[in-house]
């Protein structure tokens, strides 16, 4: 009998996934750890690998179909189980139809290199770790695709000589890629997280009027679904306060060069923003909660989700136990997550457990925003651009100050304006308390 492969659990709060692309078709041979399909969720993109050798016999869930966790997506016949592998040798007339079709499918793809430059995360990781030049290998997979076994064979043979690649020769992965760790769990549970920004949109189809139709990627579809869901389910309320961060700007300017030399990372405003948020969440734990059906759950841990944008997608990796970190610790955590996001190396654990989201929209010049809540969290807070402008200061005097808006969207099922306003005021007070000589 064929083995049922079901939609795996791709995160602690993920209940469904969308089949973005099938990498194997019925009749195709499947090798252990070889990806069989790409799945998109609201948290990550993932390739679902097989944990045994066999043959794909049936696809149940079609591309673009959203499937609940635990629901059947395909069937794979493992070696020794079915007619394809264990039929005794006999005359051509006595061979079962399935056994006749599989060799034919392989013959049809001989010389086909359509998938030669499509690399799975496992293949990329192995090649990078052992200095294997993938352009020098001949793939044995469908369409000339280089498999994990091809790379292992090259490693056993002493590797390949690195090629001097021109821009035209550098392979460009067509699918999101990230390091993969083979799992010992059943195939239905074995997944490889990938948050690499999708390749730039293809040229698309030119319409009759000259407009261009751009295909919607799996990541973009997932973002769209989650944003629509959040806006429909959570009644958004919005509030804003103005913050005088003149002292904070002076403090950062005083410390940034020494900090960079000593710690090796840039001192940005983001760690100060997060620190003000987590300290205020301790005073107002209602903000550190989630909506759960017909109840509200106050979260014990303070895990800050931070928005990290790529060219065509937005990810929200998590700083776990952010309230236990200093400005230095937060600086390193922010840098690490940003680098992992842009390099496509985020793991599932990096995306799980967030309790409150912080977004630095000011980094690209925004002065006002109304962010969409990262459901099921209670609120999201955006920090806008710091702008010098004249304000009334002191005893009826005008002065040029560094001013910034902080904008918060809140789930009105969980929070009311009074609680949200008090919380935002404490964030403001903490930021305004910094001075040129403050200690961090």
């Amino acid at each position: 009998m064929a083995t049922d492969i079901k939609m795996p659990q791709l995160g602690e709060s993920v209940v469904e996934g969308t089949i973005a692309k099938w990498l194997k078709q019925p009749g195709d041979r499947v090798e252990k750890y070889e990806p069989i399909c790409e799945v998109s969720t609201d948290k990550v993109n993932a390739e679902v690998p097989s944990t045994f050798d066999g043959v794909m016999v049936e696809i149940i869930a079609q591309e673009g179909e959203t499937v609940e966790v635990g629901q059947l997506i395909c069937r794979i016949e493992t070696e020794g189980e079915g007619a394809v592998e264990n039929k005794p040798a006999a005359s051509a007339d006595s061979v079962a139809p399935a056994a006749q079709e599989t060799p034919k499918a392989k013959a049809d793809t001989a010389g086909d290199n359509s998938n030669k430059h499509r690399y799975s995360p496992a293949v990329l990781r192995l090649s990078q770790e052992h200095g294997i030049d993938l352009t020098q290998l001949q793939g044995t997979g469908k369409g000339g695709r280089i498999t994990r076994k091809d790379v292992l064979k090259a490693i056993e043979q002493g590797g390949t000589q690195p090629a001097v690649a021109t821009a035209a020769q550098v392979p460009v992965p067509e699918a999101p890629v990230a390091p993969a760790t083979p799992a010992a769990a059943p195939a239905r549970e074995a997944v490889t997280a990938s948050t690499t920004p999708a390749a730039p949109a293809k040229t698309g189809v030119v319409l009759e009027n000259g407009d261009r139709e751009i295909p919607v990627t799996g990541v973009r579809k997932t973002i769209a679904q989650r944003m629509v869901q959040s806006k429909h389910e959570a009644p958004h309320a919005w509030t804003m306060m103005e913050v005088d961060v003149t002292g904070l700007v002076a403090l950062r300017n005083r410390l940034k060069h020494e900090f960079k030399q000593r710690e090796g990372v840039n001192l940005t405003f983001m760690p100060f923003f997060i620190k003000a948020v987590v300290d205020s969440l301790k005073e107002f734990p209602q903000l550190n909660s989630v909506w759960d059906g017909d109840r509200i759950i106050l979260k014990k841990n303070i895990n800050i989700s931070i928005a990290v944008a790529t060219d065509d997608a937005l990810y929200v990796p998590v700083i776990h136990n952010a309230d236990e970190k200093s400005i230095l610790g937060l600086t390193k955590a922010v840098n690490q997550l940003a680098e992992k996001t842009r390099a496509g190396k985020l793991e599932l654990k990096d995306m799980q457990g967030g309790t409150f989201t912080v977004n630095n929209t000011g980094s690209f010049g925004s002065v006002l925003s109304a962010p969409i809540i990262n459901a099921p969290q209670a609120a999201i807070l955006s920090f806008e651009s710091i702008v010098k402008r004249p304000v009334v200061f002191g005893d009826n005097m005008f002065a040029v100050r560094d001013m910034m808006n902080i904008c918060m969207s809140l789930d009105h099922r969980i929070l009311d304006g009074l609680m949200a306003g008090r919380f935002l005021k404490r964030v403001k007070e903490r930021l305004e308390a910094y001075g040129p000589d403050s200690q961090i």
Side-chain angles (χ1 to χ4, degrees), residues 281-292 294-303 353-356 376-379 413-415 419:
L281 287 174
K282 291 179 182 178
E283 290 186 47
F284 300 93
Q286 294 88 341
L287 274 291
N288 195 56
S289 63
V290 297
W291 182 264
D292 184 36
D294 58 352
R295 59 180 181 168
I296 297 171
I297 299 177
L298 298 181
K299 306 298 286 186
K300 177 183 177 181
N301 296 329
I302 298 179
N303 302 331
T355 59
F356 188 96
Q377 296 174 14
R413 296 173 301 180
I414 304 175
L415 301 169
M419 184 66 67

Side-chain angles (χ1 to χ4, degrees), residues 2 41 99 117-118 174 204 211 230 241 269 349 374 376 389 406:
T41 75
H117 296 308
R118 295 194 75 253
E174 295 179 9
D211 293 345
S230 179
M241 284 189 183
F269 290 109
K349 64 181 181 180
N374 184 16
R389 59 184 180 83
I406 54 176

Side-chain angles (χ1 to χ4, degrees), residues 59-78:
I59 288 176
I60 306 299
Q62 302 303 311
E63 291 183 2
E65 184 177 348
T66 299
V67 181
E68 294 182 0
V69 170
Q71 187 174 330
L72 181 66
I73 59 173
C74 70
R75 292 187 175 94
I76 295 178
E77 198 163 77
T78 56

Side-chain angles (χ1 to χ4, degrees), residues 3 98 128 136 140 149 151 158 180 184 221 224 228 247 249 252 264 302 320 328 331 351 356 382 399-400 411 428 430:
T3 300
Q128 291 166 1
Q136 303 300 305
T140 59
K149 286 188 176 180
V151 181
K221 285 181 180 178
V228 170
V249 171
R252 182 206 173 231
I302 298 179
H320 294 91
L328 172 59
T331 300
M351 304 292 289
F356 188 96
S382 288
V400 175
D411 186 338
K428 168 186 168 74
R430 285 188 161 88

Side-chain angles (χ1 to χ4, degrees), residues 359-366 385:
N359 191 8
N360 185 20
T361 45
S363 62
F364 51 81
S366 170
S385 291

